[in-house]
Amino acid sequence: MQRLFVALDLPEYTLEALDQLTEPMRGLTWSMPENRHLTLFFLGETPEERIEAVRVALRSISVAAFFMPVQGVGYFPPKGRPRVLWAGVGNGHPHLFQLQHRITDTLFGLGFDPGERAWQPHITLARCGGASAEAIRQYIKKHRDFETAPVRVTEFHLYASERQGGRRFYPLVETFKLTDV
Ligand code: 2AM
């Protein structure tokens, strides 16, 4: 079994800008900068014998490259105690949603469950299990105008998610190129 997900990588300049958003806050666990990405589809535990079919299917996806904004911060869930602090993509780009829909259709066709919640593009910055809701609201207010250079998205990736000594690692399984425009 491998725990798999499909995601977009972020260039160094974006990772640096996101790193500027980190600040000491009680009860908050910041994600490791090298682990920051934008998840498009979470496949979960996948039997080895199904992985080749996933890779072949993802290779057939044809979506044009695009520029993705990186702006705004927020948290999940919108109501109740915040659990995840994230950076957003503004209104995104139609191709971002097109790509995510194509991936979802493709993997749904292979029997993977997209889950019940609507996909909300986000880059996880921190888990906020122990932070106070008020501290998170203050943080959001302070960074509400966050915006950095858009990212040119030219590929997406299939990653595995592994845990070693309490830390998560995301080994790359395969990269899939978008089409040139
Ligand atoms: P995230 O994007 O909100 O951080 C690997 O676990 C990646 O898949 C993470 O980026 C994670 O969330 C995302 N993901 C989406 N749905 C998930 C789920 N049900 N369980 C674990 N991770 C999930």
Side-chain angles (χ1 to χ4, degrees), residues 40-41 95-105 119:
L40 296 165
F41 193 99
H95 284 174
L96 174 64
F97 294 90
Q98 188 191 5
L99 176 61
Q100 197 271 342
H101 286 160
R102 292 278 286 110
I103 291 169
T104 300
D105 280 349
W119 178 69

Side-chain angles (χ1 to χ4, degrees), residues 2-181:
Q2 284 198 59
R3 187 181 168 88
L4 299 179
F5 64 102
V6 178
L8 299 180
D9 268 355
L10 301 163
E12 204 53 45
Y13 63 83
T14 306
L15 294 177
E16 278 169 20
L18 294 174
D19 215 36
Q20 310 262 317
L21 288 170
T22 64
E23 54 185 66
M25 205 195 298
R26 215 189 163 102
L28 216 70
T29 311
W30 297 98
S31 55
M32 305 291 289
E34 65 272 22
N35 281 352
R36 293 195 178 126
H37 53 254
L38 188 146
T39 301
L40 296 165
F41 193 99
F42 180 74
L43 295 86
E45 296 295 338
T46 308
E48 295 294 334
E49 63 272 19
R50 296 185 67 194
I51 297 177
E52 186 55 24
V54 166
R55 296 173 64 160
V56 168
L58 291 176
R59 281 176 209 145
S60 72
I61 289 178
S62 168
V63 170
F66 58 94
F67 279 99
M68 177 176 77
V70 178
Q71 64 181 92
V73 287
Y75 58 85
F76 291 144
K79 289 201 181 112
R81 198 176 179 76
R83 283 193 293 117
V84 171
L85 184 64
W86 47 260
V89 297
N91 289 330
H93 184 292
H95 284 174
L96 174 64
F97 294 90
Q98 188 191 5
L99 176 61
Q100 197 271 342
H101 286 160
R102 292 278 286 110
I103 291 169
T104 300
D105 280 349
T106 301
L107 295 175
F108 183 72
L110 290 180
F112 290 91
D113 179 5
E116 279 163 22
R117 276 188 234 134
W119 178 69
Q120 259 191 277
H122 67 277
I123 302 157
T124 295
L125 296 174
R127 313 261 157 210
C128 17
S132 81
E134 184 47 33
I136 299 289
R137 271 192 286 276
Q138 289 295 331
Y139 176 91
I140 301 287
K141 206 166 154 191
K142 179 171 162 194
H143 294 285
R144 119 185 103 197
D145 295 330
F146 168 71
E147 178 164 15
T148 186
V151 172
R152 178 146 171 85
V153 180
T154 58
E155 57 192 21
F156 65 98
H157 312 274
L158 179 64
Y159 280 108
S161 171
E162 291 177 10
R163 193 184 277 279
Q164 258 173 42
R167 281 178 63 175
R168 284 256 162 229
F169 290 85
Y170 299 135
L172 178 66
V173 177
E174 184 165 343
T175 293
F176 307 90
K177 296 281 178 200
L178 300 187
T179 59
D180 291 332
V181 273

